[in-house]
Amino acid sequence: MEQETDKILIRKFIAGNCTPQEQEYIKRLMLQTGGQELFEQVMDEDWQEFKNETPATDQYIQDFQHRLNSRLDDIKPDLVIKRNHFYKYAAIWTVLILGIATYGALQLNSTQTAASIAMLSSHNPNGQRSKITLSDGSVVTLGAGSHLTYPEHFGNSTREISLEGEGFFEITKNPEKPFIIHTGEVQTQVLGTSFKVDAFKGEDVQVAVATGKVRVDRKTENTGRLESIAVLLPGDAVDWNPATGAAIKTKRTIEELTAWQKGKLSFTSMPLKNVVNILERWYNVTIEIRNREAGEYKMNIILDGTQPLKQLMEVLKVTTKTHYKMNGKTITIW
């Protein structure tokens, strides 16, 4: 499990999406025994897909070879790496080595490296939820199919974590130390409040506030600077589309947000096809809608996610005037 978590962080580092704490962890990992081999595994796993998107010319690789040797020597003269094996990863390693070289030269011999903050990770598969208490007393209710990365202890200036999926956050107030949640391009910053974040890969990012005040920003691709998406107060929500950059501000009832922690699923004008996507994660099943018209049916309903799925399917059947069949973990609606 720890190795899989490291692989996730390596991919985030290469993509430039790590928090400062995660970057420090990755840089230390690169210099540890076994860390280089783990990088190699990640490269091997991603290479086929990567080379199809970014083919490297022979001249590019030759030029990179010289730069790579130089960068690795800057990190640690006796560092042993299968360098020839890595030349095919030229474009990826350019990003990786540039981020590590300066760190290695300045930090390798520092005694503070060993005492750096350890990163922890919690992952929920579909069908499972959990509650996590952070070192400052903040509590995260992590949803199904979701992943949270956080430091064992927060640093001196900020409290930063990363989320992929959905979670409800109850943040301990500390005006001197902002709490920041990273979700891809978007970051949500608070001082002390409660709110829900939905940030599944390939879907819109949604932030809704129950108490306090929340600032939602995005990191611009060209400059890396933060650009404001919205400032939210209790009952406010924002839906941000990463493909178009469009943000839509709406209203959500506070009862709806807090009820999610207790297993209540509230849907307002949501098509049935989107509702079943949530039920798939919640119950770890596959649901197929064969009636396209039924899939577009707008749902205004609150479901009890603590009840057996069959009971919820009966409610959907009556509400949408459809039929369904359950076969193990596969459900068909028509």
Side-chain angles (χ1 to χ4, degrees), residues 9 11 18 21 26 67 93 99 118 147 204 226 294:
L9 290 177
R11 290 188 172 96
C18 278
Q21 291 96 333
I26 289 297
R67 296 197 300 271
W93 272 91
H147 185 93
D204 289 2
L226 293 179

Side-chain angles (χ1 to χ4, degrees), residues 216-272:
V216 184
D217 302 310
R218 66 177 291 263
K219 186 181 293 186
T220 58
E221 184 177 351
N222 295 330
T223 65
R225 294 180 179 177
L226 293 179
E227 180 181 274
S228 177
I229 293 178
V231 175
L232 307 176
L233 297 174
D236 289 341
V238 67
D239 185 307
W240 182 74
N241 186 316
T244 64
I248 300 175
K249 208 169 174 182
T250 58
K251 289 290 184 180
R252 299 275 289 275
T253 66
I254 295 173
E255 292 76 13
E256 173 187 340
L257 297 175
T258 56
W260 180 87
Q261 292 178 281
K262 303 173 184 177
K264 305 295 183 181
L265 300 173
S266 179
F267 304 105
T268 303
S269 296
M270 181 178 289
L272 177 62

Side-chain angles (χ1 to χ4, degrees), residues 2-22:
E2 181 178 353
Q3 187 178 82
E4 290 305 312
T5 299
D6 286 342
K7 285 184 177 182
I8 292 172
L9 290 177
I10 289 170
R11 290 188 172 96
K12 286 187 65 179
F13 182 85
I14 292 171
N17 294 329
C18 278
T19 66
Q21 291 96 333
E22 290 170 340

Side-chain angles (χ1 to χ4, degrees), residues 82-146:
K82 301 174 185 176
R83 302 187 180 194
N84 291 330
H85 180 74
F86 282 111
Y87 293 151
K88 64 181 180 181
Y89 305 123
I92 296 179
W93 272 91
T94 299
V95 177
L96 180 63
I97 297 303
L98 286 176
I100 292 176
T102 302
Y103 175 88
L106 297 178
Q107 300 293 333
L108 185 60
N109 296 320
S110 172
T111 56
Q112 295 179 352
T113 299
S116 295
I117 299 172
M119 297 301 297
L120 305 176
S121 181
S122 294
H123 175 74
N124 286 343
N126 287 345
Q128 178 179 311
R129 302 205 310 159
S130 62
K131 185 165 288 190
I132 302 156
T133 301
L134 305 177
S135 62
D136 66 337
S138 298
V139 178
V140 182
T141 303
L142 188 65
S146 302

Side-chain angles (χ1 to χ4, degrees), residues 117 134-136 151 153-156 158-161 177 179:
I117 299 172
L134 305 177
S135 62
D136 66 337
H153 299 286
F154 289 114
N156 295 326
T158 61
R159 298 172 286 172
E160 300 190 45
I161 65 174
K177 191 180 294 187
F179 193 100

